[in-house]
Amino acid sequence: IVALRIGGGSLVLLPLFLRDMDGIPRRAWWGGIVLSACWGAPFVFLVALGIKLTSAAHAAALTPGTMPVFAGLIGWAVLRERPGRQRLLGFAVIAGGVLTLSRSFVGAESWLGNAALLAAAALWAIYTLRVRRSGLSPVQAAALVCLYSSAGYLPLYLLSGAQRLTTAPLTEVLLQAAYQGVLVGGLSVVAYNQAVARLGAGAAAAIVSLVPVAAALLAIPVLGEVPTPLDAVAITAIAAGVFLAARAASTNAAALNRAAESA
């Protein structure tokens, strides 16, 4: 899965990257290594490990749901970006909703799987905070994540003897290549980078918490899984928390921009 995602993303983004590579500042090339370490192969591997040891539903709730909380805490501790009361309230409501959605997966699951998913959320948060300061365009940042990850991971993967692409069903390989490589590894990274550039790191991070909400709602028509009343309350709480945190972050970013223009 990791190989298909970063390899497919590299193939999709390489033509766009070659067109714009002359405009990349020298320091941004080094910054791309950090971005790749945060949201490239290590992130995908941790999520895949977490899903294998727990469940897809648990991963869909835990990693996206806790990422904005990590982003707020890291931004507060490292960048001295103190979140306001409204944003802290939003984070608290999001965390409560996520814990409620994932309550049925906590008892029997591996602690290592939970640790992997939380580590992935922390890496994603660091990426979110750094990408806007990297000096890279959304396409450049996404391409460097895939290209650096491919250069570091694919040779080790091919030499390890652990690859199963030749033994897996061809239809499954093609499906995962299209989904993981084109949509997730390519288009979604560019779209997320664009959201961070336009909305700010705080607002973009908060909106990511809607992933478990979307998954739960899509499960109704696709899988016939109707949320319980408690799950419905959790979904509503997460949506409300995202609104509070994203609105507060956007307001703060707009105020900073006005102050910068005045200066």
Side-chain angles (χ1 to χ4, degrees), residues 155-257:
L156 297 176
Y157 171 71
L158 295 174
L159 293 173
S160 68
Q163 62 270 16
R164 300 182 182 178
L165 294 180
T166 57
T167 58
L170 179 60
T171 54
E172 186 67 24
V173 173
L174 293 177
L175 174 64
Q176 292 297 329
Y179 173 72
Q180 295 288 349
V182 178
L183 296 180
V184 179
L187 297 180
S188 72
V189 182
V190 175
Y192 184 72
N193 292 344
Q194 191 71 254
V196 174
R198 292 177 177 270
L199 301 177
I207 292 173
V208 168
S209 296
L210 291 177
V211 169
V213 177
L217 294 178
L218 285 172
I220 299 175
V222 176
L223 301 176
E225 297 179 357
V226 180
T228 65
L230 187 58
D231 287 340
V233 172
I235 291 171
T236 304
I238 292 173
V242 169
F243 174 78
L244 290 172
R247 184 172 182 271
S250 297
T251 302
N252 184 52
L256 291 175
N257 290 335

Side-chain angles (χ1 to χ4, degrees), residues 71-164:
L73 294 176
I74 294 171
W76 189 356
V78 178
L79 304 177
R80 305 302 179 188
E81 295 179 352
R82 182 182 177 88
R85 291 182 180 178
Q86 181 176 329
R87 194 174 170 195
L88 286 174
L89 176 61
F91 287 156
V93 173
I94 290 171
V98 170
L99 290 175
T100 301
L101 272 184
S102 61
R103 71 194 184 281
S104 58
F105 303 103
V106 173
E109 306 301 342
S110 166
W111 65 269
L112 181 59
N114 289 325
L117 294 172
L118 289 174
L123 288 178
W124 192 358
I126 296 171
Y127 173 90
T128 302
L129 294 170
R130 287 191 63 92
V131 68
R132 198 178 189 191
R133 298 172 172 84
S134 66
L136 295 164
S137 71
V139 172
Q140 290 170 341
L144 284 181
V145 166
C146 290
L147 292 172
Y148 281 140
S149 293
S150 296
Y153 179 81
L154 292 182
L156 297 176
Y157 171 71
L158 295 174
L159 293 173
S160 68
Q163 62 270 16
R164 300 182 182 178

Side-chain angles (χ1 to χ4, degrees), residues 3-22:
L4 289 174
R5 175 167 173 174
I6 61 178
S10 297
L11 292 176
V12 170
L13 296 172
L14 184 58
L16 299 175
F17 176 74
L18 293 176
R19 185 192 63 186
D20 297 338
M21 65 181 298
D22 292 338

